[in-house]
Amino acid sequence: MSDNQPVTLVILGASGDLTHRLLLPGLGTLLRTRPDLDVKLVGAAFEALDEAEWRKRVSEALADGGCRVERAERMASETRYAQLDVTDPAAMAAFLAEVDEAGRPIVLYFALPPAISQKACGVLAGLDLPEGLRLAIEKPFGSSLASAQEFNKLLASVVPEDQIFRVDHYLGKATVLNLLGIRFGNRIFEPVWNANNIERVEIIADEQLALEGRAGYYDGAGALKDMIQSHLLLVMAIFAMEEPANIDAVELRDLMVHSLRATKVWSGEGEVPSRRARYTAGSIDGREVPDYTAEEGVDASRNTETLAQVTVEICSARWAGVPFRLRSGKALGDGFRGIVVKFKPVAHLPGGFHNGAEPNLMVIGFAPETIGLSVTTNAEGDRWDLEQTTLGTELSESPIRPYGEILDGILSGDPLLSVRGDIAEECWRILTPVLDSWASGEVPLDEYTAGSYGPTAWN
Ligand code: BG6
């Protein structure tokens, strides 16, 4: 997908944590695999930062991603930093004029809180913009269906959709992209990838990490908006989609939105549509974790959930009746992140075996990247006993981190791994009934001890 077009990457919010922890190291991994990439880096933020300090941060963060030292130092020596108020039209116009160079499209990467990004895009709408300007917008994209629609309308008045890159780093995860290879590159999975053979699917992102000082953002978002609205619904869309004729930005995203349009919160028997909970003090691997409400910056009266679970159904001939459970939370015991596919039992087991056959289970792990398939085999010792054997492998680690993959698409102008506007809206549409039922207090806010697997009553 990459080409070699020169490009200027402007990071707005360059002094922040996202830039330092994820964006620059991700760029570092990309530069290591693509030393030919002709990218100029400019940092800008509201905060005044000494240019020498910025250069030091750039070279360290690129090296952290594995970028070769000379390359990291060259980029650091050529980068510059500007103090900028992105909500000030005159300052923004002057800044863009300064960074604009003929033949070098600009990417404006908004590593900023959502409300400020939206304000800054409002400012851009009133300016004369450099030719081919691309906008990269971090998740969460809006805070509700209405705000996402409004943001999409605003963006459409600034640049065309193929110059808008809504970022979701889960789309850059190797195992998520691997779903396409597993499903469509094998004879044995696709024929059973349907409601006739699959009983249920769980997509889980449990984290051992707690709040990590992010109350300013997280306490206003919570687990549902932080993880399920974007990451997990997108993974589900790829898991469930029909076969693309070609893996390109139109086809892949058309088929993702096709699955999402058919998705609604579970309303049948046997499943709870949604649950929420918040952690109380506990310990994880010997590390003491305070009660969520005692964390600095948390307003307990907001009732922010740190664990969310939603079960949806994809109303199509392929998936009708299969519960897809999406769950994500913080401060949890085992931190499992991945997909668990439970197959249906065999239609008939010949008589004569001493015991029954357990259904097949497939586990696709995100971190580490693993695939495991449990199959029924004859037991050692007695051939008429059946037992489960797991065939598994750990996939080799991708040389490019998820943010590097996403940046690769943005820098080369390929929106394949970016979230299209209609997809972002569908994800909000699916969760609107959940948000409404939580707001009206219909779903209790349960509690779990940090370090546990969630509220015991959920199991
Ligand atoms: C981010 C969320 O998008 O994803 C964080 O804001 C979360 O709260 C992170 O910790 C998880 O990403 P990963 O790649 O570590 O699973």
Side-chain angles (χ1 to χ4, degrees), residues 139 169-170 173 207 209 214 217 226-227 231 330 337:
K139 68 148 263 274
H169 77 280
Y170 265 55
K173 280 190 186 284
E207 296 182 87
L209 290 181
R214 292 169 75 215
Y217 152 69
D226 184 44
M227 295 294 291
H231 300 327
K330 294 208 179 278
R337 281 174 286 167

Side-chain angles (χ1 to χ4, degrees), residues 90 322 343 424:
V322 179
F343 287 87

Side-chain angles (χ1 to χ4, degrees), residues 1-11 23 26-28 30-31 34 36-42 62 71 75 104-109 132 134-136 162 165 167 403-415 418:
M1 96 172 151
S2 316
D3 65 14
N4 226 357
Q5 192 191 30
V7 63
T8 299
L9 172 63
V10 176
I11 303 182
L23 264 182
L27 180 62
L30 179 62
L31 288 172
R34 295 209 37 216
D36 59 318
L37 199 66
D38 183 356
V39 54
K40 254 192 195 171
L41 181 67
V42 177
L62 291 177
R71 183 75 172 96
M75 182 160 251
R104 202 176 253 285
I106 297 171
V107 171
L108 283 187
Y109 196 113
R134 295 175 210 158
L135 308 178
D162 63 0
F165 297 79
V167 172
Y403 267 94
E405 287 284 0
I406 300 293
L407 278 170
D408 193 13
I410 299 172
L411 296 177
S412 54
D414 181 351
S418 293

Side-chain angles (χ1 to χ4, degrees), residues 18-60:
L18 175 73
T19 303
H20 189 67
R21 238 173 12 95
L22 295 167
L23 264 182
L24 290 176
L27 180 62
T29 61
L30 179 62
L31 288 172
R32 186 183 50 187
T33 48
R34 295 209 37 216
D36 59 318
L37 199 66
D38 183 356
V39 54
K40 254 192 195 171
L41 181 67
V42 177
F46 192 70
E47 193 190 332
L49 194 68
D50 179 33
E51 200 140 88
E53 172 60 21
W54 165 244
R55 293 199 158 126
K56 182 167 159 270
R57 288 189 193 180
V58 168
S59 112
E60 282 173 4

Side-chain angles (χ1 to χ4, degrees), residues 205-207 223 227-228 232 306-308 326-330 332:
D206 282 356
E207 296 182 87
M227 295 294 291
I228 297 184
L232 300 195
T306 57
L307 171 63
L326 314 178
R327 156 181 160 132
S328 180
K330 294 208 179 278
L332 286 158

Side-chain angles (χ1 to χ4, degrees), residues 48-372:
L49 194 68
D50 179 33
E51 200 140 88
E53 172 60 21
W54 165 244
R55 293 199 158 126
K56 182 167 159 270
R57 288 189 193 180
V58 168
S59 112
E60 282 173 4
L62 291 177
D64 170 43
C67 179
R68 284 183 224 302
V69 178
E70 325 80 75
R71 183 75 172 96
E73 281 175 0
R74 178 150 48 90
M75 182 160 251
S77 70
E78 287 166 2
T79 185
R80 44 176 291 252
Y81 181 87
Q83 189 181 8
L84 175 70
D85 176 359
V86 293
T87 63
D88 174 346
M92 199 60 160
F95 173 74
L96 286 175
E98 233 174 82
V99 290
D100 192 15
E101 279 178 53
R104 202 176 253 285
I106 297 171
V107 171
L108 283 187
Y109 196 113
F110 293 84
L112 290 169
I116 301 186
S117 302
Q118 205 155 341
K119 251 195 192 162
C121 290
V123 165
L124 293 178
L127 301 180
D128 260 347
L129 298 175
E131 186 68 29
L133 179 73
R134 295 175 210 158
L135 308 178
I137 319 276
E138 267 293 330
K139 68 148 263 274
F141 185 78
S143 54
S144 62
L145 175 58
S147 68
Q149 286 168 331
E150 197 185 308
F151 198 3
N152 272 337
K153 242 189 236 151
L154 169 64
L155 289 173
S157 72
V158 181
V159 294
E161 176 65 33
D162 63 0
Q163 288 166 224
I164 303 168
F165 297 79
R166 295 172 197 78
V167 172
D168 188 298
H169 77 280
Y170 265 55
L171 291 182
K173 280 190 186 284
T175 3
V176 173
L177 301 176
N178 239 324
L179 280 172
L180 299 169
I182 293 172
R183 288 189 56 193
F184 304 118
N186 290 294
R187 182 93 188 204
I188 59 172
F189 295 118
E190 197 47 22
V192 294
W193 220 250
N194 52 48
N196 293 335
N197 298 289
I198 290 180
E199 190 166 291
R200 60 183 300 109
V201 179
E202 306 211 355
I203 304 180
I204 300 169
D206 282 356
E207 296 182 87
Q208 290 187 316
L209 290 181
L211 191 57
E212 309 292 309
R214 292 169 75 215
Y217 152 69
Y218 192 87
D219 200 41
L224 184 74
K225 292 183 181 175
D226 184 44
M227 295 294 291
I228 297 184
Q229 187 278 330
S230 49
H231 300 327
L232 300 195
L233 277 169
L234 296 175
V235 172
M236 186 197 77
I238 293 184
F239 179 97
M241 72 185 202
E242 297 304 318
E243 184 192 344
N246 197 35
I247 297 179
D248 61 43
V250 172
E251 187 76 358
L252 188 82
R253 300 185 307 165
D254 277 356
L255 289 170
M256 284 172 75
V257 83
H258 174 253
S259 293
L260 292 167
R261 272 202 218 106
T263 301
K264 64 173 183 52
V265 173
W266 186 267
S267 57
E269 298 290 305
E271 293 289 327
V272 178
S274 73
R275 292 186 193 269
R276 55 178 174 153
R278 188 164 70 179
Y279 66 78
T280 54
S283 77
I284 304 174
D285 284 348
R287 176 172 55 96
E288 293 306 312
V289 178
D291 196 283
Y292 175 75
T293 57
E295 297 263 23
E296 203 186 323
V298 166
D299 174 355
S301 69
R302 279 200 183 117
N303 282 340
T304 300
E305 81 290 352
T306 57
L307 171 63
Q309 182 179 297
V310 176
T311 304
V312 298
E313 179 179 8
I314 303 175
C315 303
S316 64
R318 188 194 275 266
W319 292 118
V322 179
F324 281 79
R325 182 186 281 178
L326 314 178
R327 156 181 160 132
S328 180
K330 294 208 179 278
L332 286 158
D334 78 348
F336 173 76
R337 281 174 286 167
I339 307 173
V340 180
V341 186
K342 185 174 180 200
F343 287 87
K344 291 193 164 160
V346 285
H348 177 257
L349 185 69
F353 287 112
H354 296 157
N355 55 343
E358 291 291 317
N360 299 118
L361 208 62
M362 184 168 180
V363 179
I364 302 169
F366 297 154
E369 293 161 5
T370 53
I371 301 182

